[in-house]
Amino acid sequence: MSTVTFVEHDGTVHDVDLVEGESLMEIATSNGVPGIDGDCGGESACGTCHVIVDADWIGVTGTRSDEESQMVEMSPECVPNSRLACQVRAQAKLDGILVHLPEYQM
Ligand code: FES
């Protein structure tokens, strides 16, 4: 089974199943991962799905679009590897991906 690992700011680890075709936001919310709300339903419009992709994986996920950057850069915790989880589509090559959660969501 393919997995996604979400690590909360306090170090709590959540290993959940990677479902191809779903976004990382959908995977997190459907598995009850705390700290990812997805209030806008995946429209890049709320910023409540901010994640920080591990350095080993940012090259695999690709970089964010201008629209995504405009939203995620509103977070005081935004860093170069920040992504909106709703904009990262799960696919086989992301098996084992490690993403970190910020301390707070917008
Ligand atoms: S769910 Fe709203 S920006 Fe990702």
Side-chain angles (χ1 to χ4, degrees), residues 35-68:
I36 295 188
D37 298 331
D39 288 345
C40 75
E43 302 295 324
S44 295
C46 69
T48 64
C49 66
H50 176 201
V51 295
I52 299 153
V53 177
D54 192 82
D56 288 343
W57 287 93
I58 193 70
V60 186
T61 64
T63 53
R64 49 189 196 238
S65 67
D66 290 346
E67 180 186 27
E68 184 182 348

Short mmCIF file of all heavy atoms in Angstrom, two decimals, residues 35-68:
data_model
loop_
_atom_site.label_atom_id
_atom_site.label_comp_id
_atom_site.label_asym_id
_atom_site.label_seq_id
_atom_site.Cartn_x
_atom_site.Cartn_y
_atom_site.Cartn_z
N GLY A 35 -5.06 19.75 11.67
CA GLY A 35 -4.23 20.86 11.18
C GLY A 35 -4.38 21.12 9.70
O GLY A 35 -3.77 22.04 9.18
N ILE A 36 -5.17 20.33 8.99
CA ILE A 36 -5.46 20.63 7.60
C ILE A 36 -6.98 20.70 7.49
O ILE A 36 -7.67 19.70 7.69
CB ILE A 36 -4.90 19.57 6.63
CG1 ILE A 36 -3.37 19.59 6.68
CG2 ILE A 36 -5.39 19.84 5.20
CD1 ILE A 36 -2.69 18.73 5.64
N ASP A 37 -7.47 21.91 7.23
CA ASP A 37 -8.92 22.11 7.25
C ASP A 37 -9.54 22.03 5.85
O ASP A 37 -10.60 21.46 5.67
CB ASP A 37 -9.25 23.46 7.88
CG ASP A 37 -8.78 23.51 9.34
OD1 ASP A 37 -8.74 22.44 9.98
OD2 ASP A 37 -8.45 24.61 9.81
N GLY A 38 -8.90 22.63 4.88
CA GLY A 38 -9.45 22.58 3.52
C GLY A 38 -10.78 23.29 3.39
O GLY A 38 -11.69 22.80 2.73
N ASP A 39 -10.88 24.46 3.99
CA ASP A 39 -12.17 25.16 4.07
C ASP A 39 -12.78 25.50 2.71
O ASP A 39 -14.01 25.55 2.59
CB ASP A 39 -12.02 26.45 4.88
CG ASP A 39 -11.85 26.18 6.37
OD1 ASP A 39 -12.12 25.04 6.81
OD2 ASP A 39 -11.43 27.11 7.08
N CYS A 40 -11.96 25.75 1.71
CA CYS A 40 -12.53 26.17 0.42
C CYS A 40 -12.80 24.98 -0.51
O CYS A 40 -13.25 25.16 -1.63
CB CYS A 40 -11.64 27.20 -0.27
SG CYS A 40 -10.14 26.51 -1.00
N GLY A 41 -12.49 23.79 -0.05
CA GLY A 41 -12.76 22.61 -0.86
C GLY A 41 -11.73 22.36 -1.94
O GLY A 41 -11.96 21.53 -2.83
N GLY A 42 -10.63 23.07 -1.90
CA GLY A 42 -9.56 22.79 -2.86
C GLY A 42 -9.43 23.78 -3.97
O GLY A 42 -8.89 23.47 -5.04
N GLU A 43 -9.89 25.01 -3.74
CA GLU A 43 -9.90 26.04 -4.79
C GLU A 43 -8.75 27.04 -4.68
O GLU A 43 -8.80 28.11 -5.30
CB GLU A 43 -11.23 26.80 -4.75
CG GLU A 43 -12.47 25.92 -4.92
CD GLU A 43 -12.53 25.26 -6.29
OE1 GLU A 43 -12.13 25.90 -7.27
OE2 GLU A 43 -12.97 24.11 -6.36
N SER A 44 -7.74 26.75 -3.87
CA SER A 44 -6.63 27.70 -3.65
C SER A 44 -7.12 29.02 -3.08
O SER A 44 -6.54 30.07 -3.33
CB SER A 44 -5.86 28.00 -4.95
OG SER A 44 -5.23 26.87 -5.43
N ALA A 45 -8.22 29.00 -2.35
CA ALA A 45 -8.84 30.25 -1.93
C ALA A 45 -8.88 30.47 -0.44
O ALA A 45 -9.34 31.51 0.01
CB ALA A 45 -10.27 30.32 -2.48
N CYS A 46 -8.39 29.50 0.37
CA CYS A 46 -8.50 29.70 1.82
C CYS A 46 -7.16 29.61 2.53
O CYS A 46 -6.98 30.21 3.58
CB CYS A 46 -9.47 28.68 2.42
SG CYS A 46 -8.85 26.98 2.41
N GLY A 47 -6.25 28.86 2.00
CA GLY A 47 -4.94 28.73 2.64
C GLY A 47 -4.92 27.86 3.89
O GLY A 47 -3.92 27.84 4.59
N THR A 48 -6.00 27.13 4.16
CA THR A 48 -6.04 26.31 5.37
C THR A 48 -5.50 24.90 5.15
O THR A 48 -5.74 24.01 5.97
CB THR A 48 -7.46 26.22 5.94
OG1 THR A 48 -8.31 25.54 5.00
CG2 THR A 48 -8.02 27.60 6.26
N CYS A 49 -4.82 24.71 4.05
CA CYS A 49 -4.24 23.38 3.76
C CYS A 49 -2.74 23.51 3.53
O CYS A 49 -2.14 22.67 2.86
CB CYS A 49 -4.92 22.75 2.55
SG CYS A 49 -4.61 23.65 1.02
N HIS A 50 -2.14 24.54 4.13
CA HIS A 50 -0.70 24.79 3.98
C HIS A 50 0.10 23.60 4.52
O HIS A 50 -0.12 23.16 5.64
CB HIS A 50 -0.36 26.07 4.75
CG HIS A 50 1.09 26.42 4.77
ND1 HIS A 50 1.62 27.26 5.73
CD2 HIS A 50 2.13 26.06 3.98
CE1 HIS A 50 2.92 27.41 5.52
NE2 HIS A 50 3.26 26.68 4.47
N VAL A 51 0.99 23.10 3.71
CA VAL A 51 1.94 22.08 4.17
C VAL A 51 3.34 22.47 3.68
O VAL A 51 3.48 23.26 2.75
CB VAL A 51 1.61 20.66 3.64
CG1 VAL A 51 0.29 20.15 4.21
CG2 VAL A 51 1.60 20.60 2.11
N ILE A 52 4.31 21.91 4.33
CA ILE A 52 5.70 22.14 3.94
C ILE A 52 6.27 20.80 3.49
O ILE A 52 6.40 19.87 4.29
CB ILE A 52 6.50 22.73 5.12
CG1 ILE A 52 5.88 24.08 5.52
CG2 ILE A 52 7.97 22.88 4.76
CD1 ILE A 52 6.09 24.46 6.96
N VAL A 53 6.52 20.71 2.21
CA VAL A 53 7.00 19.45 1.63
C VAL A 53 8.45 19.23 2.03
O VAL A 53 9.27 20.15 1.95
CB VAL A 53 6.86 19.47 0.09
CG1 VAL A 53 7.42 18.19 -0.52
CG2 VAL A 53 5.40 19.66 -0.31
N ASP A 54 8.75 18.02 2.48
CA ASP A 54 10.12 17.71 2.89
C ASP A 54 11.09 17.97 1.73
O ASP A 54 10.75 17.77 0.56
CB ASP A 54 10.20 16.24 3.31
CG ASP A 54 11.50 15.93 4.00
OD1 ASP A 54 11.61 16.20 5.21
OD2 ASP A 54 12.43 15.43 3.33
N ALA A 55 12.27 18.42 2.08
CA ALA A 55 13.26 18.79 1.06
C ALA A 55 13.53 17.66 0.07
O ALA A 55 13.79 17.91 -1.11
CB ALA A 55 14.56 19.22 1.74
N ASP A 56 13.45 16.42 0.53
CA ASP A 56 13.72 15.28 -0.36
C ASP A 56 12.61 15.08 -1.38
O ASP A 56 12.78 14.30 -2.33
CB ASP A 56 13.87 13.99 0.45
CG ASP A 56 15.17 13.95 1.23
OD1 ASP A 56 16.08 14.75 0.92
OD2 ASP A 56 15.27 13.13 2.16
N TRP A 57 11.46 15.73 -1.19
CA TRP A 57 10.30 15.47 -2.03
C TRP A 57 9.85 16.65 -2.87
O TRP A 57 9.02 16.49 -3.77
CB TRP A 57 9.13 14.98 -1.17
CG TRP A 57 9.34 13.59 -0.68
CD1 TRP A 57 9.90 13.20 0.50
CD2 TRP A 57 9.03 12.39 -1.39
NE1 TRP A 57 9.96 11.84 0.56
CE2 TRP A 57 9.42 11.32 -0.58
CE3 TRP A 57 8.45 12.14 -2.65
CZ2 TRP A 57 9.26 9.99 -0.99
CZ3 TRP A 57 8.28 10.82 -3.04
CH2 TRP A 57 8.68 9.77 -2.21
N ILE A 58 10.36 17.84 -2.59
CA ILE A 58 9.85 19.01 -3.29
C ILE A 58 10.10 18.91 -4.80
O ILE A 58 9.29 19.36 -5.61
CB ILE A 58 10.42 20.32 -2.70
CG1 ILE A 58 9.64 21.53 -3.22
CG2 ILE A 58 11.91 20.46 -2.95
CD1 ILE A 58 8.23 21.65 -2.69
N GLY A 59 11.16 18.24 -5.17
CA GLY A 59 11.44 18.08 -6.60
C GLY A 59 10.45 17.16 -7.29
O GLY A 59 10.24 17.24 -8.50
N VAL A 60 9.85 16.27 -6.51
CA VAL A 60 8.89 15.32 -7.08
C VAL A 60 7.51 15.97 -7.21
O VAL A 60 6.78 15.74 -8.17
CB VAL A 60 8.80 14.04 -6.22
CG1 VAL A 60 7.91 13.00 -6.89
CG2 VAL A 60 10.19 13.47 -5.97
N THR A 61 7.14 16.78 -6.22
CA THR A 61 5.81 17.40 -6.28
C THR A 61 5.76 18.51 -7.32
O THR A 61 4.70 18.85 -7.81
CB THR A 61 5.41 18.02 -4.92
OG1 THR A 61 6.31 19.08 -4.61
CG2 THR A 61 5.39 16.99 -3.82
N GLY A 62 6.92 19.09 -7.63
CA GLY A 62 6.92 20.24 -8.50
C GLY A 62 6.69 21.50 -7.68
O GLY A 62 6.47 21.45 -6.48
N THR A 63 6.75 22.63 -8.35
CA THR A 63 6.64 23.90 -7.65
C THR A 63 5.24 24.46 -7.78
O THR A 63 4.43 23.99 -8.57
CB THR A 63 7.66 24.90 -8.21
OG1 THR A 63 7.50 24.98 -9.63
CG2 THR A 63 9.08 24.47 -7.89
N ARG A 64 4.97 25.47 -7.00
CA ARG A 64 3.62 26.02 -6.97
C ARG A 64 3.37 27.01 -8.11
O ARG A 64 4.30 27.65 -8.60
CB ARG A 64 3.33 26.63 -5.61
CG ARG A 64 4.38 27.58 -5.11
CD ARG A 64 4.11 27.97 -3.65
NE ARG A 64 4.89 29.13 -3.30
CZ ARG A 64 5.77 29.18 -2.31
NH1 ARG A 64 5.99 28.13 -1.56
NH2 ARG A 64 6.44 30.29 -2.06
N SER A 65 2.11 27.14 -8.46
CA SER A 65 1.70 28.10 -9.48
C SER A 65 1.68 29.50 -8.88
O SER A 65 1.75 29.66 -7.65
CB SER A 65 0.30 27.76 -9.98
OG SER A 65 -0.65 27.97 -8.95
N ASP A 66 1.56 30.51 -9.72
CA ASP A 66 1.48 31.89 -9.23
C ASP A 66 0.27 32.06 -8.31
O ASP A 66 0.36 32.70 -7.26
CB ASP A 66 1.38 32.88 -10.39
CG ASP A 66 2.68 32.97 -11.17
OD1 ASP A 66 3.72 32.50 -10.66
OD2 ASP A 66 2.67 33.52 -12.29
N GLU A 67 -0.86 31.47 -8.71
CA GLU A 67 -2.08 31.58 -7.90
C GLU A 67 -1.88 30.94 -6.53
O GLU A 67 -2.26 31.50 -5.50
CB GLU A 67 -3.24 30.90 -8.64
CG GLU A 67 -4.57 30.95 -7.90
CD GLU A 67 -5.66 30.13 -8.60
OE1 GLU A 67 -5.31 29.16 -9.31
OE2 GLU A 67 -6.83 30.47 -8.43
N GLU A 68 -1.26 29.77 -6.53
CA GLU A 68 -1.00 29.07 -5.27
C GLU A 68 -0.03 29.88 -4.41
O GLU A 68 -0.22 30.01 -3.20
CB GLU A 68 -0.42 27.69 -5.59
CG GLU A 68 -0.19 26.83 -4.37
CD GLU A 68 0.42 25.48 -4.72
OE1 GLU A 68 0.46 25.11 -5.91
OE2 GLU A 68 0.89 24.78 -3.80
#
